Amino acid sequence: MTIFVDTANILEAEKWLKQPFVTGVTTNPLLLAQVKPTNRFEHLQKLSMLLNKEQLLMVQAVGETPDELLEDARTIHEMLPEAIVKVPADRNGFTIAPTLNHDKIEITFTAVFSAAQGIIAAFAGGHYIAPYVGRMQDAKIDPWEQIEDMMDAFDAHELDAHVLAASLRTPDDVAKAFALGCQITAKPSVLDECIGVENTEKMVKEFNKARLV
Ligand code: G3P
C-alpha cells in the first residue's frame, strides 16, 4: 500500500510523514504557490530533509516548451537527486520523456484525465501515472472506469507503471482508488478524514469513560 501526502506545507508534511503508513510527499506548482516560498529549491530541500530513508518526494517540473520543461526537470534532478520528477502528461511531457529515461530520471506523469493518456504515459516510461480523480469528476469523466482501463492495459502489456490516484476529495475516493489497486496521494485534510473518524472518536470516549480505574 502506498500513501503520499499531497502538500508543500512543511508543518503538514512533517506531521504526516511521522505516520508509518505515509510513503512520501507529492508537490506541484499549485501547492508550492500556496506556501509562497521565497526560494523554491530551499523549500523543497527542507521538505526532503523530513523524509526517512524509505520515503519519497515528488517534485513537478514546469515549462511552456519542451526545452524549458526539460531544463527544469534536470535542475530538479540535480538539486534533489532522490526526488521523482513529475511532468504533465501532455505533448511537452511526452517529448522530453525519452531524454529523462536516458538520464535515468524517474518520472511521474501527472494531470492525467483519460485511460489512453495514462497508457501512453506508461509506454513513454512513466513509473507513476497520476489521474486527477476529483477534477475528472468535475469534468463529468468517470475516473474509476478510466483507471480500470489503464490498469488492465498495464497488466496486458506488462508495463512497469503504477497508478497514483490524485485529486482525491473524500475517504470514499481513497477507498475506491485502493480497491482498484491504485497507490494514492491525498491532501492532509482528506487523510485526516480517513483516520479521524468521528464515530470512532465517540466510541473511544465511551471506552475511556467505562474503563475501570
Ligand atoms: O496531486 C495533484 C493534486 O494536488 C490536485 O488536486 O485537489 O487540486 O484537484 P486538486
Side-chain angles (χ1 to χ4, degrees):
M1 177 178 80
T2 300
I3 297 179
F4 288 85
V5 59
D6 198 31
T7 185
N9 180 297
I10 298 286
L11 293 178
E12 286 285 2
E14 188 171 26
K15 169 184 164 187
W16 285 100
L17 287 168
K18 287 174 182 161
Q19 289 288 350
F21 60 79
V22 173
T23 316
V25 185
T26 56
T27 65
N28 67 40
L30 299 179
L31 295 170
L32 276 166
Q34 287 172 11
V35 297
K36 300 183 181 65
T38 49
N39 179 296
R40 175 191 180 204
F41 282 108
E42 280 176 15
H43 187 84
L44 289 167
Q45 293 281 9
K46 284 179 190 165
L47 278 176
S48 70
M49 299 295 283
L50 300 172
L51 305 173
N52 66 33
K53 59 183 185 309
E54 280 86 36
Q55 291 170 324
L56 299 168
L57 171 66
M58 292 193 189
V59 179
Q60 187 164 332
V62 290
E64 294 187 8
T65 65
D67 287 348
E68 280 182 12
L69 192 64
L70 179 58
E71 184 182 357
D72 196 45
R74 281 174 157 164
T75 303
I76 291 167
H77 186 62
E78 187 184 323
M79 300 294 281
L80 297 156
E82 299 307 312
I84 296 172
V85 176
K86 294 169 75 175
V87 295
D90 68 356
R91 286 178 180 81
N92 290 346
F94 292 135
T95 300
I96 71 166
T99 308
L100 297 182
N101 293 327
H102 177 268
D103 291 358
K104 304 261 185 287
I105 297 174
E106 193 170 359
I107 305 169
T108 292
F109 273 107
T110 192
V112 171
F113 280 76
S114 81
Q117 189 185 14
I119 294 161
I120 291 166
F123 274 113
H127 188 67
Y128 291 97
I129 309 298
Y132 273 23
V133 168
R135 293 184 188 243
M136 290 167 84
Q137 289 165 332
D138 295 345
K140 306 287 183 258
I141 299 165
D142 179 342
W144 312 120
E145 183 183 58
Q146 300 300 312
I147 288 172
E148 280 179 314
D149 288 349
M150 260 182 247
M151 299 188 83
D152 289 348
F154 295 175
D155 291 345
H157 297 274
E158 298 178 339
L159 294 171
D160 180 22
H162 307 277
V163 175
L164 177 66
S167 186
L168 299 167
R169 306 263 168 86
T170 67
D172 286 347
D173 284 348
V174 170
K176 182 77 178 169
F178 275 136
L180 291 175
C182 300
Q183 303 182 29
I184 70 122
T185 187
K187 301 270 189 307
S189 57
V190 175
L191 294 180
D192 220 28
E193 277 188 72
C194 287
I195 66 168
V197 180
E198 194 178 341
N199 289 323
T200 306
E201 288 169 355
K202 281 179 187 165
M203 283 311 304
V204 169
K205 286 196 174 95
E206 287 188 47
F207 297 149
N208 288 336
K209 268 188 204 158
R211 68 181 173 179
L212 301 175
V213 292

